[in-house]
Amino acid sequence: MNIFKKASLLVAMTTAITTMSFAALASNQGAIDAFEAKTKPIAQDAKVLSDKQLVLMQEFNQLVASGNTAAVFQSGKVAELQALGEQTLVQAKLFVKEYEQFLAQLPETSTCYTPENVTEYNQLINEVATKNQSLSELSSTVAPGDEMAATMAVLNLQMHAGQVSGLVQMFQLVKMCYISDAMGYTKEDVERMQALENE
C-alpha cells in the first residue's frame, strides 16, 4: 500500500470518527462493559481448568520421556483429562450464551457484531465434546506393553488438549474488536482497510 493510500485512509477514518454518533459509541461501551463483567468469572474459571490441564499434560510428557508411555493409560489421568474437558465445555457454553446476548445489544455496523462467530464456536464446542466423550474408549485401545499404540494414543490426547485450550482462547479472541469499536470504526471501515492491505 503506498503512502498516499494510507494517508487518505487515515483522513477517511478521522472524518468517520468525528462525524460518528457518540451516543452509539457510548451504548456499545455499555454493552462491552456488561459483557466483560458477566464473562470475567467464566474466563477465570476456564483459566484455572486450562492450567490444571497443562500440569496434567506435563505429567503425560514425563511418562513418555521415561519410556513408560503405556503407564499414562493405567494411571487414571486420562479420566482426569476428560473431567477437565467436561468442565471447560460447561464454561465455553456459558461464554457463548453471554456472547449471543452481547451481540443482540450491538448495532450491525459495530466491529464487534460478528454473529458468524457463534456458529463457529458452537461447532468447535460440539467437536470437542464428541472427542472428549471418546477419551474413555482410548485406554482400551492400548494393550499393556504396546508402546507404539500408547504413543499414538498420547498424541491423540495432546491434540485433544490443544483443542480444549482453543476453547479458552476464544474468550480472548472475541475481545479483539474492542479497540476498533472504541476508535469509532464500523465493520465497513475495517473491511475497507483489510481490502487495501491485501492489494
Side-chain angles (χ1 to χ4, degrees):
M1 186 195 292
N2 70 35
I3 193 79
F4 297 112
K5 275 188 184 173
K6 281 187 179 175
S8 64
L9 184 64
L10 191 61
V11 170
M13 290 298 161
T14 309
T15 309
I17 292 167
T18 52
T19 57
M20 189 192 157
S21 159
F22 286 99
L25 186 60
S27 70
N28 288 358
Q29 192 55 53
I32 287 170
D33 291 344
F35 178 64
E36 274 294 300
K38 287 178 182 174
T39 57
K40 191 177 180 181
I42 297 170
Q44 285 171 336
D45 288 348
K47 172 84 169 69
V48 168
L49 294 169
S50 191
D51 289 345
K52 285 181 182 175
Q53 180 183 278
L54 194 62
V55 169
L56 200 53
M57 293 316 294
Q58 285 167 347
E59 289 172 17
F60 286 0
N61 292 339
Q62 285 167 353
L63 287 168
V64 172
S66 70
N68 197 7
T69 310
V72 168
F73 300 95
Q74 278 87 56
S75 65
K77 291 187 186 299
V78 174
E80 275 182 58
L81 183 67
Q82 193 173 24
L84 288 171
E86 282 301 319
Q87 291 165 21
T88 305
L89 284 161
V90 168
Q91 298 305 317
K93 286 174 187 171
L94 287 172
F95 181 85
V96 170
K97 191 176 161 192
E98 292 297 346
Y99 185 47
E100 284 180 298
Q101 289 175 4
F102 169 57
L103 292 174
Q105 295 170 24
L106 296 173
E108 289 185 18
T109 53
S110 168
T111 56
C112 288
Y113 184 77
T114 49
E116 61 277 8
N117 284 354
V118 173
T119 309
E120 236 174 85
Y121 294 154
N122 280 328
Q123 251 176 323
L124 183 60
I125 286 168
N126 290 337
E127 279 173 36
V128 172
T130 303
K131 284 185 183 165
N132 204 61
Q133 283 174 338
S134 69
L135 288 189
S136 48
E137 297 152 27
L138 199 57
S139 299
S140 64
T141 65
V142 181
D146 189 346
E147 282 296 303
M148 180 57 86
T151 302
M152 294 306 291
V154 166
L155 284 174
N156 277 329
L157 289 176
Q158 288 169 331
M159 287 193 311
H160 175 68
Q163 275 198 307
V164 174
S165 294
L167 287 177
V168 178
Q169 294 306 313
M170 82 177 178
F171 300 173
Q172 299 309 317
L173 285 173
V174 160
K175 300 173 183 183
M176 288 178 68
C177 66
Y178 291 179
I179 296 166
S180 52
D181 205 78
M183 291 174 74
Y185 293 161
T186 64
K187 264 177 125 170
E188 271 185 11
D189 296 331
V190 172
E191 283 164 11
R192 250 197 319 273
M193 284 190 285
Q194 287 169 341
L196 284 170
E197 277 175 25
N198 295 332
E199 275 181 11

